[in-house]
Amino acid sequence: DVTIDPDYIASHPDTRSELAVPIKLGDFIMGVINVEHSEIGAFDEEDQRDLETLAAYAAVAINNAQQFTTINRQKNYHEAVYDAGKEIIERLTAPRNEILELILVHAVRQIQPAAGGRVVLGAMKEPTKEWASPLAALIAALAHERHITGRID
């Protein structure tokens, strides 16, 4: 009877029985599966074994999903680096400004999603000016042979 358990935190007023098992992989606890019932003593050892089995499967599924996400993110990053390198190599005979502009475009594409915001670049002589685009900042800096500063907002 959960109503007499001092550690029980009520989530529904009609609950009288609770069965909670950890979702864990090795020693790492990922979460909890919690089942509640309106009858006192509603769960037995078989229910607990079944819920523990479900929790074990859930832990493996969650871990697999996390690994898939990590691997997919790494794959996308490596593909982007490969594509950028390929495009830059194809344009090695282009003017320096065009190559640097291309490098900046690819760098911003990688930084922006990871930063969760926008990338603001400016020439050091005008560090507070926000340019219409990273390319505009780069072109301004290159045109005046200035260093470029940047921040991620």
Side-chain angles (χ1 to χ4, degrees):
D1 185 354
V2 296
T3 60
I4 60 173
D5 184 345
D7 295 325
Y8 177 73
I9 299 171
S11 64
H12 191 276
D14 295 336
T15 300
R16 296 298 175 261
S17 295
E18 175 187 48
L19 178 59
V21 297
I23 301 171
K24 66 182 196 170
L25 195 61
D27 292 334
F28 179 68
I29 297 176
M30 308 167 105
V32 175
I33 296 178
N34 185 63
V35 182
E36 297 182 351
H37 199 281
S38 59
E39 295 178 18
I40 294 173
F43 305 109
D44 59 19
E45 288 181 11
E46 184 178 349
D47 294 323
Q48 182 175 344
R49 281 192 304 274
D50 291 345
L51 202 56
E52 287 171 347
T53 301
L54 179 64
Y57 284 122
V60 171
I62 291 167
N63 187 58
N64 288 345
Q66 289 172 337
Q67 286 181 346
F68 175 80
T69 300
T70 299
I71 290 168
N72 198 43
R73 193 175 298 127
Q74 290 172 346
K75 177 188 79 71
N76 291 341
Y77 170 77
H78 290 293
E79 284 176 355
V81 169
Y82 172 79
D83 291 343
K86 185 177 170 187
E87 190 173 348
I88 291 165
I89 288 171
E90 289 171 356
R91 296 191 184 177
L92 281 179
T93 58
R96 180 180 70 157
N97 289 6
E98 190 177 315
I99 293 171
L100 291 174
E101 183 177 316
L102 184 61
I103 291 169
L104 180 65
V105 168
H106 285 284
V108 168
R109 283 183 192 157
Q110 288 301 308
I111 293 169
Q112 219 158 7
R118 62 190 172 110
V119 177
V120 178
L121 297 172
M124 283 182 76
K125 195 161 190 169
E126 303 174 72
T128 58
K129 181 173 182 176
E130 290 200 18
W131 300 87
S133 71
L135 295 177
L138 178 66
I139 291 167
L142 291 173
H144 301 289
E145 294 293 327
R146 298 181 188 141
H147 291 86
I148 298 172
T149 61
R151 72 176 196 276
I152 299 171
D153 290 338

